[in-house]
Amino acid sequence: MLEEFIGSEERMESTNAEQVARSLLAAWNDRDLDKFLALLTDDVYWTDPAMLGSPAAGKAAVRRFAESVITAFPDFTYAIRGSMCVSADGQRCIIPWRITGTHLARLEPAGFMPTNRRADFEGVDLLDFRDGLVCRVETYFDPVVPGGQLMALNLLPPPGSFRERILVTIQSAIAWWLRNVRKSIPVK
């Protein structure tokens, strides 16, 4: 039935996208950064909540990010959970994942010191393809989850707690300041 809507050429591209994505993840887990980077376009663009500052633009920036993560989390594992979803034209792929890793070394460039604690969290990657290679990666996850695990803190205070009241007070003060003091700075 699906074949009526998708021609054989499109199915092949979709299958190829999944193969490239699986090869990319295998290379990451094997710490084979040369193979990992070979599956990316030269102008690859990667956004990730773990990247403090600007996204990684280009293979050199992606290599620096990957080396930083692998150094800080030497047992880092990226596992696919469930099925990948590949667009009919094979140009986009969504990968639901689970990441685990223990923070054993300094995480650059921010300089986060090792906590010797383990993170275990889920998210999704959205990959775009061009000419059979990954040209864009958008990583989505809730940074509160691994942040709390790595710092041994419950970053989300219980409703009605003293911590919640303090956070609301801080947020209220910041909101007042933004509305009244920084009026001239446009919101991005």
Side-chain angles (χ1 to χ4, degrees), residues 48-74:
D48 186 317
M51 293 177 189
L52 299 179
S54 57
K59 285 185 177 182
V62 168
R63 178 181 284 279
R64 283 191 302 277
F65 174 68
E67 288 172 343
S68 176
V69 170
I70 290 168
T71 298
F73 297 88

Side-chain angles (χ1 to χ4, degrees), residues 13 37 45 58 69 93 98 108 121 138 147 151 185 187:
E13 289 178 15
L37 293 169
Y45 187 81
V69 170
C93 176
R98 180 181 195 151
E108 299 297 347
F121 60 102
E138 296 177 30
M151 294 187 294
I185 299 175
V187 177

Side-chain angles (χ1 to χ4, degrees), residues 13-24:
E13 289 178 15
S14 177
T15 302
N16 185 50
E18 186 169 343
Q19 290 171 346
V20 170
R22 288 187 184 280
S23 296
L24 189 73

Side-chain angles (χ1 to χ4, degrees), residues 33-162:
L33 293 184
D34 291 333
K35 184 176 180 182
F36 180 81
L37 293 169
L39 297 167
L40 307 176
T41 61
D42 290 337
D43 64 342
V44 64
Y45 187 81
W46 188 353
T47 62
D48 186 317
M51 293 177 189
L52 299 179
S54 57
K59 285 185 177 182
V62 168
R63 178 181 284 279
R64 283 191 302 277
F65 174 68
E67 288 172 343
S68 176
V69 170
I70 290 168
T71 298
F73 297 88
D75 63 343
F76 183 101
T77 303
Y78 185 117
I80 299 170
R81 58 179 180 88
S83 300
M84 288 188 207
C85 181
V86 180
S87 65
D89 65 2
Q91 300 303 305
R92 182 165 268 193
C93 176
I94 297 174
I95 306 168
W97 50 255
R98 180 181 195 151
I99 287 176
T100 58
T102 310
H103 189 191
L104 298 176
R106 186 178 171 116
L107 181 61
E108 299 297 347
F112 293 121
M113 298 305 291
T115 62
N116 296 332
R117 296 190 53 84
R118 188 162 180 77
D120 183 339
F121 60 102
E122 297 178 347
V124 294
D125 279 345
L126 171 62
L127 280 65
D128 287 330
F129 296 87
R130 186 175 66 238
D131 301 325
L133 299 173
V134 176
C135 62
R136 184 177 181 91
V137 179
E138 296 177 30
T139 299
Y140 297 97
F141 65 91
D142 181 355
V144 169
V145 175
Q149 292 171 351
L150 294 174
M151 294 187 294
L153 294 172
N154 180 358
L155 298 176
L156 296 175
S161 68
F162 178 70

